[in-house]
Amino acid sequence: MSVLDLARAHLRGVEPYRSARSLALEAEVFLDANESPRPLREGAQFEGLNRYPAPQPPALVREAARYYGVPAASVVVTRGADEGIDLLVRAFVEPVCEDVLIAPPTYGVYAIAARLHGAAVREAPLDAARGFAFDADAALKAARPGGVKIAFVCRPNNPTGTGVPLAAVERLAAGLAERALVAVDEAYLEFSGGSSAAELIARLPNVVVLKTLSKAWGLAGARVGFLLAAPELAALLQAVRAPYPISAPSARAAEAVFDAAGEALMRRSVAAIVAERARLSERLLRVPGVTRVLPSEANFLIAVFANKAAALDALRSRGIIARDRSAEPGLDGGVRITVGTPEENDRLLAVLEAARV
Ligand SMILES: Cc1ncc(COP(=O)(O)O)c(C=O)c1O
């Protein structure tokens, strides 16, 4: 059996749309794509914008292959990891009769993408009493009655900040081999220092990995991410994606940041955020009304408040927003706080300390 057999039957063998720019990126005169022959305004920000962009910017594909240690044929450049999630659901899950498995509390878009597509969501909840550790056996058990087509694993997990060992991903992927994909979302992996599940793909082709430039790489506004998969799966996803997912300004910004020089900058920024995460955590624990701060391997913390509504109100009244996660299972009173600059974190701490929530 090929891992391609997991795709929805009507997509197997589907031909990708051959857009003009996918056929010819280099020429002297472009009369093939019904574009305007010139931009209507002058200025660096408009240069070249009368032309369609490369469907998969070659420099980004090259850098992603190098940085993530996979063949170029395994890389799909996406409009952020969110587009990767949507692509996977659309390509692999049969609406109505197949399910997606998640381990709540986790990133909300997995369930939303599934429901928008008409698929059901099955849950293998993380156990708050065990520090929200991901339990591969619980996930396998929840997937045992057939029908689960994608199991999403978020490492580190949003919103709990919990890491997931590679061995747990491997166990899940081996258990679901030939039955379902394991989509490993590594949006925050740079903050945890763990090694990527991308190294499993060659052995376990039902593993796919979601990456993003929105977090450690500082490019959330550009909307650029990557989906890493076995080459035959990546080829299928290339046929399912939009013809031109990455706008030219986004590609330009990503190419300027996502390279070896940018990697050094990223690592310095991540080190500063990780140090600040430790300071913020320790200071939050001393704020009256904070009962707990969860350990985190990401760039955010969950602080549990005795009165989270009062804490959020106090912050909002001083122009600071944090994310209420208290409705999530096991996170009663939980507020997710992104690690900001030291000055921003100090402002947050000052408001909470003064509010005596
Ligand atoms: C776990 C997780 N995955 C994916 C995303 C979305 O990433 P992108 O901006 O690349 O779409 C987020 C954004 O918050 C996230 O928390």
Side-chain angles (χ1 to χ4, degrees):
M1 183 199 173
S2 151
V3 70
L4 272 185
D5 294 336
L6 294 176
R8 295 172 67 194
H10 71 287
L11 293 178
R12 291 172 213 154
V14 81
E15 283 295 315
Y17 171 64
R18 302 267 175 219
S19 58
R21 276 312 95 80
S22 68
L23 298 172
L25 284 172
E26 287 189 25
E28 287 175 11
V29 179
F30 287 99
L31 300 177
D32 60 339
N34 306 341
E35 299 146 330
S36 167
R38 62 187 78 82
L40 298 196
R41 284 181 188 271
E42 288 185 5
Q45 77 266 42
F46 299 112
E47 212 177 295
L49 284 194
N50 55 316
R51 300 293 175 195
Y52 282 102
Q56 292 284 278
L60 287 184
V61 173
R62 245 187 344 265
E63 278 306 309
R66 181 193 66 79
Y67 178 65
Y68 299 124
V70 295
S74 284
V75 176
V76 184
V77 190
T78 59
R79 272 184 306 247
D82 281 345
E83 189 194 19
I85 295 165
D86 182 58
L87 271 180
L88 288 173
V89 171
R90 284 196 290 121
F92 289 91
V93 184
E94 210 55 65
V96 183
C97 49
E98 291 185 331
D99 304 352
V100 155
L101 179 72
I102 62 169
T106 194
Y107 185 47
V109 168
Y110 314 137
I112 289 171
R115 291 193 180 113
L116 287 176
H117 183 68
V121 177
R122 225 184 275 184
E123 299 188 344
L126 301 173
D127 186 355
R130 292 183 48 249
F132 296 101
F134 180 78
D135 183 340
D137 291 318
L140 281 169
K141 193 167 159 205
R144 196 165 296 144
V148 165
K149 209 53 168 308
I150 306 178
F152 282 98
V153 180
C154 190
R155 68 187 292 262
N157 186 45
N158 176 10
T160 58
T162 330
V164 178
L166 209 51
V169 176
E170 193 168 355
R171 187 169 171 72
L172 181 65
L176 293 178
E178 302 190 353
R179 286 173 48 204
L181 292 187
V182 175
V184 188
D185 185 341
E186 296 185 341
Y188 300 99
L189 191 72
E190 286 90 345
F191 300 101
S192 88
S195 60
S196 171
E199 71 185 57
L200 301 177
I201 293 172
R203 239 177 333 114
L204 292 162
N206 62 328
V207 170
V208 297
V209 179
L210 297 156
K211 295 286 190 180
T212 181
L213 300 187
S214 295
K215 310 295 178 182
W217 291 88
L219 279 182
R223 312 302 302 125
V224 178
F226 304 97
L227 203 152
L228 312 176
E232 62 271 35
L233 281 195
L236 175 89
L237 294 164
Q238 294 285 9
V240 176
R241 65 160 167 77
Y244 300 101
I246 310 299
S247 74
S250 290
R252 242 180 262 158
E255 283 163 12
V257 169
F258 188 57
D259 60 10
E263 191 179 330
L265 279 180
M266 180 276 285
R267 289 195 192 286
R268 222 174 304 149
S269 164
V270 164
I273 289 168
V274 166
E276 194 54 21
R277 177 179 78 198
R279 182 184 79 93
L280 181 60
S281 170
E282 191 239 316
R283 287 283 305 275
L284 279 168
L285 275 169
R286 287 194 261 139
V287 168
V290 171
T291 58
R292 212 156 47 104
V293 178
L294 301 191
S296 171
E297 294 191 16
N299 66 338
F300 52 80
L301 291 164
I302 288 276
V304 179
F305 289 85
N307 186 345
K308 64 94 193 169
L312 285 169
D313 283 349
L315 290 171
R316 207 169 296 125
S317 72
R318 304 297 297 272
I320 300 172
I321 48 171
R323 194 88 193 267
D324 183 356
R325 299 280 78 182
S326 60
E328 298 287 328
L331 289 183
D332 196 25
V335 173
R336 195 188 66 200
I337 299 166
T338 304
V339 180
T341 63
E343 297 72 29
E344 289 171 331
N345 301 332
D346 283 341
R347 275 180 66 175
L348 170 121
L349 288 163
V351 171
L352 291 175
E353 279 158 5
R356 308 219 145 258
V357 287

